[in-house]
Amino acid sequence: MSEPTVVAKRMVDGGGAPRLDYAVQTLADVPYNRWREYDPEDTIRFYALRLREAGMIKSSPAKLIADGADWRFLNAVRRELGG
């Protein structure tokens, strides 16, 4: 949905966000419609490195990707959408 105000209202009404203005701003700032431009493996690697630096996880990004990432669904969606 490309209407951040409508989605933000649903979030607030459902208890998922405390304030409408914050929810609208967050949804307007996050580029949800560009998800196909990002490489999911690079994204996992980036956040895994940050979590490891913060001491929240001990596994390496490569191990997390090898053990926990199953790209079959994402690849099927990309093929279906022509991405």
Side-chain angles (χ1 to χ4, degrees):
M1 183 175 257
S2 62
E3 300 173 34
T5 305
V6 174
V7 175
K9 177 132 178 56
R10 288 183 188 170
M11 289 172 61
V12 172
D13 291 347
R19 291 183 48 175
L20 182 62
D21 56 336
Y22 287 169
V24 170
Q25 185 63 43
T26 300
L27 292 171
D29 290 346
V30 177
Y32 287 107
N33 60 342
R34 295 191 325 212
W35 68 271
R36 286 184 268 176
E37 295 176 18
Y38 299 108
D39 181 12
E41 189 171 338
D42 286 344
T43 303
I44 291 172
R45 187 176 296 107
F46 174 83
Y47 285 107
L49 283 170
R50 302 296 82 79
L51 291 170
R52 191 170 183 192
E53 289 169 355
M56 297 177 73
I57 62 173
K58 294 185 188 278
S59 296
S60 70
K63 181 164 176 41
L64 286 174
I65 291 168
D67 294 348
D70 182 358
W71 306 114
R72 290 177 294 182
F73 175 75
L74 183 60
N75 290 336
V77 170
R78 283 188 173 177
R79 277 193 305 276
E80 190 171 314
L81 296 175

